[in-house]
Amino acid sequence: MTAPSRRRLSAVPDRAPEPAELGLAGTAAALAHGARSSLDAVTAALDRIDASQPSLNAFRLLRRERALAEAAAADKRLAAGERLPLLGVPIAVKDDTDIAGEPTAFGCGGEFEPKIEDAEVVRRLRAAGAVIVGKTNTCELGQLPFTSGAAFGHTRNPWAAERTPGGSSGGSAAAVAAGLVPAALGSDGAGSVRIPAAWTNLVGIKPQRGRISTWPEAEAFQGLTVHGPLARTVADAALLLDAAAGPHAGDRHTPEPISATDAVGRDPGRLRIALSLRIPFTATKTALDPEVEAATRRLAAALRKLGHSVTIADLHYGLLIGASFLPRSMSGIRSMYSRMPGAAVDPRTRTNVLLGRLLDGPALFAARQAEPLLHKRIGGFFDDYDLVLAPTTATPPPRAEDIDGIGFNATNNLITAACPYTWPWNVLGWPSVNVPAGFTEAGLPVGAQLMGTASAEPLLISVAAQLESELRWDRHRPEPWW
């Protein structure tokens, strides 16, 4: 795994490490051991965000006063001997997630009333002791693998300012990759955690549907969308997943609990892994970039070196899964937009809202009814394989401005050509983990995804941790943005 030297962080100066250098678990340990205060850690994170915001533009809003007050309270709790997994640790959440006292704009323009209650996932993060410093940028209603919008401009990729960090959790990914916070929460409805993770050299986990509650929605976007962590290391992503996971009484999906953290470092045994490069059916022309393919094959070689059997065996998704995705996705966009009166959105968003209205009857019903059949048919592939390795994206990150000023059809062609691989696992509701796969000759990060069946997060996490110990992608960091 190589990266141009100009993209690596220089040696850390002779000072106390910043939270982003320590990572999530390291910061939590430093606070618990009294090596650093929460107030110092949160202040430093807020200052880095302020300094980077004019150029990186990762955040929609900051909670400076409230976060500092929460950090001071965390220090008192730490001094009194209280210990929680993330007590006093600064993190960020995506601006599709409700925080009491803050608006949820979800990438749209307009003025929105502050929310009265925390989302269930925010409640759980607070219960774990986390200090949420702000809400990160996302595109309008999470529709694009770009984090861009008229309401806030472009969020930039920390590895290359002219490129997008991906979307729709691009603000969270940019914040973690740039070292503004040690970890952040995103959401994934068609790849929106895994895609920006791939394009910013991060670990991004799309959990099993229901693993992290989407309440106040019983399910999000007709079951396509789940919350997921973004971090530099598998251990940090697993820690955030465990802190965020758990049901609300109103949730539609409630899988049996797991321990993601316990899976880190666990020997998964010798696995049968399918390397699948085949692109799921799309209505537009798509092709796998040779550098992305080469990077994915290098990961396959690393897995063989670790003792696993890796066989080229393409998943054949069929047409039904695509026919199932579209009504669910468009219905989700329509439903979310209807609950945001006064939202100012792009004409392309309004077109998707209209499509959602058209597909919200028999087509949506048929799409939901098809899921058990898809589980059975695609699940049969796993009779012969334990997991699948596939590219996360078909291309390296595009230029941020490529999404600007183009029409509805051109937008669909652009996003489908770049990101045709991730959405089927949202239809299935099964877990998938993006792992960094190296860099292109131009120094752009790319990734690959490990994909499993229902509730396979522990297996995927243990394999991802094996790869990390071999490849040490966490040592590659972009130049500071503050």
Side-chain angles (χ1 to χ4, degrees):
M1 183 177 195
T2 60
S5 59
R6 67 186 178 89
R7 292 297 182 192
R8 295 177 185 160
L9 267 179
S10 57
V12 176
D14 187 16
R15 55 164 169 75
E18 297 289 349
E21 294 162 2
L22 289 170
L24 191 68
T27 300
L31 296 178
H33 296 149
R36 188 164 197 185
S37 72
S38 176
L39 191 58
D40 284 346
V42 170
T43 299
L46 289 165
D47 289 347
R48 287 194 299 274
I49 294 166
D50 278 338
S52 69
Q53 189 63 12
S55 51
L56 190 64
N57 192 23
F59 280 78
R60 185 65 183 262
L61 66 84
L62 287 186
R63 305 179 65 247
R64 180 174 283 274
E65 291 186 8
R66 290 174 176 172
L68 291 174
E70 292 165 13
D75 282 330
K76 291 180 180 179
R77 296 165 70 184
L78 287 161
E82 185 174 356
R83 296 295 180 263
L84 294 168
L86 300 178
L87 186 52
V89 179
I91 67 166
V93 302
K94 182 177 175 179
D95 192 27
D96 62 348
T97 306
D98 293 348
I99 301 177
E102 310 291 354
T104 299
F106 207 163
C108 301
E111 298 295 326
F112 304 96
E113 291 294 321
K115 296 296 181 178
I116 297 173
E117 294 182 341
D118 288 335
E120 175 65 15
V121 66
V122 170
R123 188 194 69 77
R124 289 182 175 274
L125 291 173
R126 290 190 194 274
V131 176
I132 300 172
V133 296
K135 302 182 75 173
T136 56
N137 274 325
T138 178
C139 57
E140 291 177 5
L141 308 183
Q143 301 167 89
L144 303 172
F146 289 74
T147 299
S148 304
F152 61 89
H154 295 285
T155 297
R156 301 290 173 177
N157 192 315
W159 293 91
E162 75 280 4
R163 303 282 172 163
T164 181
S168 61
S169 304
S172 288
V176 177
L180 308 184
V181 290
L185 193 71
S187 61
D188 190 314
S192 288
V193 163
R194 290 162 289 162
I195 291 165
W199 285 345
T200 58
N201 194 51
L202 297 179
V203 176
I205 301 177
K206 175 217 169 298
Q208 174 71 25
R209 182 186 300 146
R211 178 74 58 215
I212 300 176
S213 174
T214 54
W215 193 260
E217 304 295 328
E219 63 173 7
F221 284 74
Q222 294 293 332
L224 295 178
T225 296
V226 300
H227 294 294
L230 289 144
R232 280 208 179 99
T233 68
V234 176
D236 281 353
L239 176 58
L240 187 55
L241 175 57
D242 281 341
H248 183 279
D251 288 348
R252 182 170 176 178
H253 308 282
T254 54
E256 288 297 314
I258 62 161
S259 173
T261 300
D262 286 348
V264 178
R266 182 188 298 158
D267 183 359
R270 186 175 186 271
L271 301 177
R272 304 163 301 164
I273 300 174
L275 171 60
S276 179
L277 301 175
R278 180 186 179 93
I279 294 175
F281 174 80
T282 65
T284 58
K285 185 177 181 180
T286 56
L288 178 58
D289 182 274
E291 288 193 277
V292 177
E293 178 178 346
T296 306
R297 289 184 180 276
R298 286 195 297 271
L299 279 185
L303 288 165
R304 292 189 184 101
K305 183 179 178 182
L306 289 164
H308 302 296
S309 170
V310 183
T311 306
I312 297 175
D314 283 328
L315 264 172
H316 293 270
Y317 294 95
L319 299 180
L320 180 59
I321 194 165
S324 174
F325 174 78
L326 187 64
R328 293 170 70 172
S329 177
M330 296 301 107
S331 175
I333 292 168
R334 179 210 58 76
S335 177
M336 187 60 65
Y337 180 72
S338 71
R339 295 196 297 275
M340 299 184 67
V345 297
D346 187 273
R348 292 169 288 187
T349 296
R350 291 196 291 272
T351 300
N352 280 338
V353 170
L354 177 60
L355 282 173
R357 290 176 183 147
L358 294 173
L359 296 172
D360 213 8
L364 177 61
F365 177 80
R368 297 307 304 260
Q369 294 297 111
E371 190 170 308
L373 177 62
L374 292 169
H375 281 163
K376 182 177 180 180
R377 191 175 67 75
I378 296 176
F381 186 83
F382 289 87
D383 292 342
D384 299 316
Y385 300 97
D386 299 300
L387 58 88
V388 174
L389 172 68
T392 301
T393 69
T395 71
R399 295 182 181 275
E401 281 78 9
D402 285 353
I403 199 69
D404 293 352
I406 59 176
F408 181 79
N409 290 333
T411 297
N412 286 338
N413 291 342
L414 172 64
I415 65 178
T416 302
C419 302
Y421 280 103
T422 48
W423 60 268
W425 246 241
N426 296 87
V427 174
L428 298 167
W430 293 344
S432 177
V433 178
N434 175 80
V435 293
F439 297 79
T440 68
E441 287 296 319
L444 301 175
V446 295
Q449 55 179 334
L450 301 168
M451 306 149 68
T453 54
S455 295
E457 294 103 320
L459 178 65
L460 302 178
I461 287 168
S462 65
V463 175
Q466 280 189 325
L467 282 169
E468 184 180 282
S469 67
E470 181 75 17
L471 302 176
R472 294 310 308 269
W473 53 65
D474 56 307
R475 294 177 177 174
H476 300 294
R477 304 181 183 182
E479 296 168 355
W481 280 69
W482 63 88

